[in-house]
Each structure stands twice: as structure tokens, then as C-alpha cells.
Amino acid sequence: MTRAVAVVAAVLVLAAGCVTAREGVPTAGPAAPAGPAVPGTAGLRAAAGLAPCPPSPGPAVRGGLPDLTLDCLGTGPAVRLAALRGAPTVVNLWAGWCGPCRAEAPALQRLWTRGQVRVLGVLTKDTDDNGLAAARGFAIRYPSVADEDGRLLARLGLPGLPATVFLRADGTVAGRHVGPALSDAQLAALVRRHLGVAA
């Protein structure tokens, strides 16, 4: 009998401690600390604020980029690279893990902001989430597409990153640059040389 009374008393004590916070009384014991919210890809995309990708209708351009269709890293349609035309375009292959890419990103951002030429980034051999976080960290807003497997880099036969390709308004490749990060002056000189645009 004494044992039964002890069990009942223990149950009553436990029941008294299990009041929910919804009833205005905190639960027994310390609450687990709330961890920081980890944004998913949608949250990273919103935080990055990349401009929408350009449309690429029409047939492939002879002498243009390889015929690859890449998903937009931000918002907008997938981009068929071989059909890019309509404006002089600077296509920059970059990655979040690439130090020189980070170094030249401000010059590309300023070029895009001036508006004389279109700038399209190609996130290369990197994940969407890492690229979106890097885009925010690099403070770039120009549109980018995602090429996680590095197909464009391979098809162009380029040795590494960063790499920049210059397209004329008709979509044909006018030139390319691979190597050290570009300064504003170097980028402007290449745009003038390959595209005939004073940027």
C-alpha cells in the first residue's frame, strides 16, 4: 500500500510540472535555445537580389557561345547561351570560392550599373546556395546563370577562373580574357577593344 501511495504521489508531482506555456505558465526545466534560422535557396535568392536573367529567344548564333541552356541563379528564365544577342555583352565565369573572382566583381558591377553593355555572370563549378551567398558577399546585382558542372568552361577550352567572354550585339564572340582579376581600367579597355563601346 505504501508503494502504491508513493507511485501516485510521484505521478501527481510530474503532472504538476507539465503545464504548457500556452496556459501562461512556463514549462518545467530550461528551454532549449533557439538556433539561428538557416535560409533555404529561396531565402538566399531573395537576399542576393540579383537582376532577372535576360531572355534568349531565337536560333543559335553562328560564332556565338556554345549551345548550352543554363538556369537563372536569381529570377527569370533559363538562358540559352548560344542565342544571346541584342546588346553587347560581357559574360563572366566566376565562383564563390574564387579569390580573383571576388576581386574583380566590383569592376563588373560598376560596368553593369553604367548600362553601356549587358553583363551576365556564369556561376561555375559551384552550388547555387554558395553562389547566392557569394553574390551577396561580393555585392553584385547583375544577373547570373548556374553551371555547376563547368560545362561552359570546358566547351570554351578555358583553363580556369575567372574568365570573361565578350559578345558583340549580334551574339558572336569578339574576344576573351582569362587570368588575373580585372581592374576597372582593364575591363574598360577590353570592352572598348572587343566591343567598340566606351565604358
Side-chain angles (χ1 to χ4, degrees), residues 16-137:
C18 293
V19 179
T20 65
R22 189 172 53 113
E23 297 173 281
V25 180
T27 56
V38 178
T41 302
L44 290 169
R45 186 171 286 118
L50 296 174
C53 288
S56 52
V61 173
R62 186 180 185 120
L65 290 174
D67 201 356
L68 299 169
T69 299
L70 301 176
D71 289 334
C72 190
L73 185 61
T75 59
V79 177
R80 184 182 182 195
L81 299 178
L84 280 173
R85 57 165 66 78
T89 302
V90 174
V91 179
N92 179 259
L93 287 72
W94 66 282
W97 45 261
C98 167
C101 300
R102 176 185 288 274
E104 72 180 9
L108 288 156
Q109 175 64 27
R110 286 187 285 271
L111 177 67
W112 176 74
T113 301
R114 288 193 292 274
Q116 290 99 330
V117 299
R118 178 169 57 191
V119 176
L120 178 68
V122 180
L123 179 67
T124 303
K125 294 189 174 183
D126 206 346
T127 65
D128 286 8
D129 286 1
N130 191 52
L132 288 163
R136 185 180 182 192

Side-chain angles (χ1 to χ4, degrees), residues 1 11 26 35-36 43-44 52 60 67 84 86 96 117 138 170 184:
M1 199 65 167
V11 169
L44 290 169
D67 201 356
L84 280 173
V117 299
F138 293 4
D170 66 3
D184 287 273

